[in-house]
Amino acid sequence: MSISVNGWYVVYTKPRHEKKVAAFLSTLNIVNFLPTARILRVWKDRKKYIDAPLFPSYLFIYLEDLETYYKVLSLEAVLYYVKTGKEVVKVKEDVIHSIRLITQQPNNIDIEVSDDYFQPGKQLMIKDGMLSGLVCEVVEVKGEQKFLVRVNMLQKNILVAVSAEYLDSIAV
């Protein structure tokens, strides 16, 4: 196994332990990121909005040294780091940045997580609104334009509906 530190990595946790692990890591001053989305849960007797993990059982960790790597791995609820073969997968900073931008938007934004494959889309820039200036990949899904954030190491994609009036071509 090899790992080059100073970057974002993904750990797989026991089911429904993401928030507990994130909170505990924060008390240890270990930088982590748990992307969540506000969803409506319906039970027989009530309805309630909750913040649910965007990627169940996955948590992003920023590693500064090997000591932090092993400290995170020693936690009971952390099962393993996501790997490709024997290589621990490093997450690109721009992927983390895009996920943060999307999940920090007001709750009326509709976030969809998909594990479908999408053909490469057009690279466009959002010219207005809260995501103004963000360069994104735009794909068409069921006749609707959505911008796409590929999270390849999890084989997942985040899709967010975006109106064509907010998109502009990128000057090259």
Side-chain angles (χ1 to χ4, degrees):
M1 180 215 54
S2 73
I3 180 171
S4 63
V5 291
N6 283 352
W8 287 98
Y9 296 87
V10 183
V11 293
Y12 186 78
T13 67
K14 288 182 177 179
R16 293 190 291 278
H17 280 72
E18 311 90 340
K19 289 181 183 179
K20 292 174 191 160
V21 171
F24 188 70
L25 289 173
S26 293
T27 65
L28 296 175
N29 293 321
I30 296 174
V31 178
N32 65 84
F33 174 48
L34 176 61
T36 59
R38 185 156 282 251
I39 61 168
L40 180 64
R41 277 278 158 88
V42 180
W43 291 272
K44 289 180 183 175
D45 60 337
R46 65 185 196 259
K47 295 178 182 180
K48 183 180 178 183
Y49 280 97
I50 63 164
D51 289 324
L54 215 48
F55 309 109
S57 291
Y58 290 99
L59 180 65
F60 296 92
I61 309 287
Y62 189 85
L63 296 179
E64 295 178 357
D65 53 34
L66 277 175
E67 182 184 337
T68 308
Y69 171 88
Y70 289 111
K71 198 180 288 186
V72 170
L73 202 53
S74 71
L75 299 177
E76 184 183 332
V78 173
L79 299 176
Y80 55 82
Y81 280 89
V82 174
K83 297 178 183 178
T84 302
K86 293 184 180 184
E87 192 76 26
V88 178
V89 177
K90 193 171 189 176
V91 182
K92 292 181 181 175
E93 187 72 42
D94 61 333
V95 171
I96 297 292
H97 178 69
S98 296
I99 296 171
R100 276 192 201 276
L101 275 175
I102 292 166
T103 57
Q104 291 173 349
Q105 295 307 306
N107 298 328
N108 59 359
I109 190 170
D110 186 25
I111 300 172
E112 177 186 345
V113 176
S114 168
D115 42 12
D116 294 341
Y117 172 77
F118 293 94
Q119 292 290 334
K122 293 181 272 179
Q123 293 290 319
L124 299 174
M125 183 183 297
I126 298 177
K127 63 181 178 182
D128 200 11
M130 297 187 84
L131 297 174
S132 179
L134 179 70
V135 175
C136 58
E137 182 177 355
V138 178
V139 295
E140 192 164 308
V141 181
K142 298 176 187 164
E144 187 178 10
Q145 285 201 322
K146 295 190 176 198
F147 81 78
L148 175 80
V149 176
R150 295 180 191 268
V151 187
N152 293 330
M153 75 287 313
L154 301 180
Q155 298 178 343
K156 303 274 186 207
N157 301 298
I158 301 174
L159 295 161
V160 178
V162 61
S163 176
E165 66 197 57
Y166 292 115
L167 296 172
D168 202 1
S169 60
I170 301 171
V172 182

